[in-house]
Each structure stands twice: as structure tokens, then as C-alpha cells.
Amino acid sequence: MQEDAAGAGLHVAFAGSLGDLPAAEGRSLGDVVMLDCPVIDAATLAALARLDLRAAGGDTRLIVSTSVEMLDEVFACMDMSMPVLLVDPNRAERVIALGQVMAGFPAARLRELSEDDRLMLLRLSEQVGQIAGHMDRLAPAGPARAGRSGASAEAPDFAGNGPPYAAKDPSFLSDARMLRRIIRQRQLRARFIEGDLFADPAWDMLLDLAAARAEGKQVSVTSLCIASAVPPTTALRWIGQLVEAGLFQRVCDENDRRRAFIELTDQAVDRLARYFGEIALTQPVPV
């Protein structure tokens, strides 16, 4: 991890155990703290929670690597500083995470980069740009152009314009069986055509949360990563993007503060309801 940080243009000021960081309350954490916590016990979770609170009070960004088995516990205890979570990452995923947090740094906080460093960051920017391109497709569409053939003046759009969904038939988004059927149909394609060609984790997670909402169930971050049909670290990046986009929100377990879930925001519910209400006019079962 030290080599990855240095290669990304950061000066490594400290390397040691997690227990050493909270003890040094008078010392700055620096710009980035990278942690590798594949196996976690109660003491480690408590230390992570303290570090999360400390980072939230300053400008430090946290990058935390863990295992699939420990993901829910780490996610639940770190809810203040919005850390970047990685699951069993390789070096490329760590470097991408560094690029992600560095994108928010003022230029003056980074040392002068070598040409190799610049090329690496350029490649990172290209990958971030690909993610941004996918997110653009989730962004609100512009109002329907006047005079469009076959378009109603009151037709709703994904931006939330048009009549409220309450005026529509609410059965589209409350039909869990229909939503699960759509999910199964999407999964079925992987049996016949390479699944990576159709990877759309944002949509798969939106559908899974919509179905869970209709069923009255709560979804853990690990379960949502599985539903995304992409590697967990990739899914976590998308979850972060969708939280920032106002479509996902984190909800703590009322009975156990050590657990947390992901659910759709009211904004996401409204937009999905409009989408299903609109597409049902032309296609009974959207995929």
C-alpha cells in the first residue's frame, strides 16, 4: 500500500497498525489513511469507529480494505466520514481508490508528479470518466420537446417533471413478483451471452432495492453487492455514486446499531414509479 500511495503522488508520513492511529490524538492523520482489515474483531471495529469519527472532523479521507465476510460490519461502524470501501482489492483497485479521493484534493496538496505518475492519473481519469458516463444516463432527462409526435403534454419524465406519481396506478412499483421476474430475465441472459457485456450494476441494484421495498425487506450492503452482478469493490463504488446522486440512502438498524442497510430514497422511488408507469404504456414487462 505504501508503494501505491507514493506512486499516486502522496507522501507516506506513517505506516503502522490501526491501534497506533487513534492513540496519537495530537497528530494529524494526513490527507489519506489506507487500512487493510481482512479479519476484524470487536476491538478493531471500535478502533475503526473512532477513526471514522476523527476523520469526519477533519479533511482526512479513509480507504478501507476488508473481506466479503466483514463488509457489513465495517460498513455499519463507519458512517461519518464516507470512507472508500474495498473488498479483497488488487493493486489496480487500490490505485483507482486513491485516484478517486485525490480528485477532491486541491492541486497544492500534491507533490509535483513525474511523467509516469501523470500517465497513471490520466488512466485513472479515463476510468472515472467511464463511471461518470454511466451516471449521466441516470441523470434527469430534459423536458419533452413541444410537438413531439405521440407525446402527451403531461407525460412524466425521469427528472420528476410532469404530474405526480400519486395520480398514476401505484401497482407498477409495488408488484414484487413483476420486479423479481425482470431481475430473473436479466440474469438469464448470462446463460447464453457473456454477462460482462451487459453489466449495468446501477440498474440491477435499483431493481433489487425496489423489489425488496415491495416485499417489505431490508437489504444489507453485502446483499446489494451480490445483486449488482459485479465485483464487490466495483459495486461499492456504484453505491457511493448512487448515494451522492440522491437515489440510495443508508439506514441504521433500529434494533442493532452495529448493522446498517441500503434503501431507495423517496426521490428514487418517485423516479422509478414514473419510469414503470410510462413504459407500461408500450411494454408490459420492461427489462
Side-chain angles (χ1 to χ4, degrees):
M1 289 193 294
Q2 294 183 56
E3 292 180 359
D4 298 337
L10 298 173
H11 170 66
V12 179
F14 173 80
S17 67
L18 173 62
D20 294 332
L21 284 173
E25 295 294 341
R27 183 171 56 189
S28 171
L29 287 173
D31 292 330
V32 181
V33 174
M34 298 182 69
L35 301 170
D36 189 16
C37 305
V39 179
I40 297 176
D41 55 17
T44 303
L45 287 174
L48 285 174
R50 291 194 297 269
L51 179 61
D52 179 57
L53 181 62
R54 186 177 170 193
D59 296 326
T60 300
R61 292 300 310 275
L62 303 180
I63 300 176
V64 183
S65 304
T66 188
S67 61
V68 173
E69 293 76 15
M70 295 291 103
L71 177 57
D72 284 332
E73 285 80 359
V74 173
F75 179 78
C77 79
M78 306 190 77
D79 60 345
M80 301 295 292
S81 66
M82 297 183 65
V84 176
L85 300 182
L86 308 176
V87 177
D88 299 324
N90 55 34
R91 185 176 186 186
E93 289 171 332
R94 284 197 177 96
V95 173
I96 290 173
L98 281 167
Q100 182 180 343
V101 300
M102 288 170 63
F105 289 170
R109 293 170 67 181
L110 300 178
R111 66 169 170 80
E112 185 66 24
L113 301 180
S114 68
E115 188 60 29
D116 288 341
D117 292 336
R118 294 182 189 280
L119 289 174
M120 181 182 68
L121 290 179
L122 178 60
R123 296 189 187 100
L124 287 175
S125 298
E126 291 173 350
Q127 294 185 52
V128 172
Q130 291 174 0
I131 294 175
H134 285 296
M135 291 304 301
D136 284 342
R137 291 200 288 271
L138 290 176
R145 288 179 294 180
R148 186 177 60 181
S149 176
S152 167
E154 293 187 344
D157 60 35
F158 204 60
N161 300 319
Y165 177 68
K168 296 286 185 180
D169 180 358
S171 63
F172 295 115
L173 206 57
S174 61
D175 189 343
R177 288 189 300 176
M178 181 196 73
L179 292 167
R180 291 298 180 192
R181 185 164 71 249
I182 295 171
I183 293 171
R184 286 194 297 271
Q185 288 174 340
R186 291 176 59 79
Q187 294 170 341
L188 186 62
R189 293 182 306 193
R191 291 177 52 186
F192 303 97
I193 305 174
E194 179 62 39
D196 290 345
L197 296 174
F198 299 101
D200 192 355
W203 184 237
D204 287 328
M205 289 189 289
L206 281 164
L207 287 174
D208 188 69
L209 289 180
R213 180 179 182 274
E215 295 163 346
K217 297 179 179 178
Q218 292 181 302
V219 180
S220 69
V221 67
T222 298
S223 177
L224 193 58
C225 287
I226 294 172
S228 72
V230 294
T233 294
T234 302
L236 288 168
R237 279 201 300 271
W238 277 103
I239 290 172
Q241 292 277 359
L242 290 163
V243 168
E244 291 182 8
L247 298 178
F248 287 2
Q249 63 186 359
R250 176 196 185 104
V251 179
C252 292
D253 188 335
E254 295 180 357
N255 300 316
D256 187 350
R257 299 295 295 178
R258 296 170 299 177
R259 301 178 62 193
F261 303 101
I262 299 291
E263 66 179 27
L264 297 175
T265 63
D266 291 341
Q267 177 186 174
V269 171
D270 180 69
R271 292 183 177 188
L272 283 173
R274 292 179 186 277
Y275 166 73
F276 282 108
E278 182 74 10
I279 201 169
L281 300 176
T282 57
Q283 183 174 328
V285 182
V287 178

